[in-house]
Amino acid sequence: MRHNKKFNHLSRKKGHRDALLANLTISLIEHKRIFTTLAKAKALRVYCEPIITRCKKDDMLNRRVVFSYLQNKEAVKELFGVIADKVANRPGGYLRIIKTGNRLGDNAEMAMIEFVDFNEAALASAEPKKATRRTRRSKKSAPKAEAPAVEANEATEAPAAE
């Protein structure tokens, strides 16, 4: 019976599931964004966010605990270096899941999972833009207003040149 077991088993035994989530976490740390199925992305968020929280405090204990989950020196170095600097002041919610539609072969729901602080396009749009004043003009009246002004400039320049 599976009483009080709420996490998704992903149709795998424990060892296979742990290896899958560790490999997905390593890929996510290296590439900052990966595409996978929606179920794996949701399971990965639950697995990966406590590991990212550990990297906020850089000491030997946290490095050893994270390495016990990931077993990859480069990923641990990247996590405690670049990623820790970006998520230092964030209280949680380090990852974003965006649904991307269904896969053609088996119609599985696909999703993109990425770090919130590493999406340059979203960060650029979140920055406040300068407010510019714009006036509404109809397109029919614009050519009529410009045409006499051009003719007037030509008429004033001609006598000055002679």
Side-chain angles (χ1 to χ4, degrees):
M1 288 185 260
R2 56 177 309 274
H3 293 303
N4 204 19
K5 293 180 175 68
K6 294 181 180 178
F7 62 93
N8 192 345
H9 291 92
L10 300 173
S11 299
R12 290 163 172 84
K13 302 279 186 182
K14 184 185 183 329
H16 189 186
R17 186 172 54 249
D18 288 342
L20 169 78
L21 293 173
N23 287 331
L24 284 173
T25 304
I26 291 167
S27 296
L28 181 65
I29 290 169
E30 288 176 357
H31 301 292
K32 310 299 186 276
R33 172 186 301 166
I34 58 173
F35 292 87
T36 184
T37 62
L38 184 63
K40 287 179 189 174
K42 287 180 178 179
L44 180 63
R45 181 171 50 188
V46 172
Y47 183 85
C48 191
E49 289 210 355
I51 292 174
I52 298 168
T53 302
R54 285 259 180 196
C55 80
K56 287 179 164 183
K57 185 178 178 190
D58 189 6
D59 59 355
M60 189 59 69
L61 173 66
N62 285 336
R63 281 186 179 263
R64 286 181 175 171
V65 169
V66 170
F67 184 77
S68 72
Y69 283 102
L70 300 183
Q71 298 291 317
N72 189 318
K73 285 183 184 179
E74 288 78 23
V76 172
K77 190 184 301 183
E78 178 83 9
L79 187 64
F80 278 89
V82 177
I83 295 173
D85 294 337
K86 292 264 191 169
V87 300
N89 57 359
R90 182 177 286 277
Y94 314 110
L95 301 175
R96 172 188 300 132
I97 296 175
I98 300 171
K99 295 180 184 179
T100 58
N102 294 346
R103 188 162 49 196
L104 289 177
D106 59 354
N107 206 28
E109 287 182 294
M110 299 298 289
M112 175 185 67
I113 183 167
E114 66 179 357
F115 281 99
V116 173
D117 295 319
F118 283 89
N119 189 348
E120 289 81 15
L123 292 176
S125 66
E127 293 176 4
K129 297 179 182 176
K130 289 195 284 183
T132 58
R133 296 187 70 182
R134 296 177 188 236
T135 59
R136 293 187 181 193
R137 296 182 182 155
S138 64
K139 294 184 179 186
K140 294 178 182 177
S141 63
K144 292 178 183 175
E146 293 176 7
V150 173
E151 293 172 5
N153 288 340
E154 292 174 359
T156 56
E157 290 176 6
E162 292 176 357

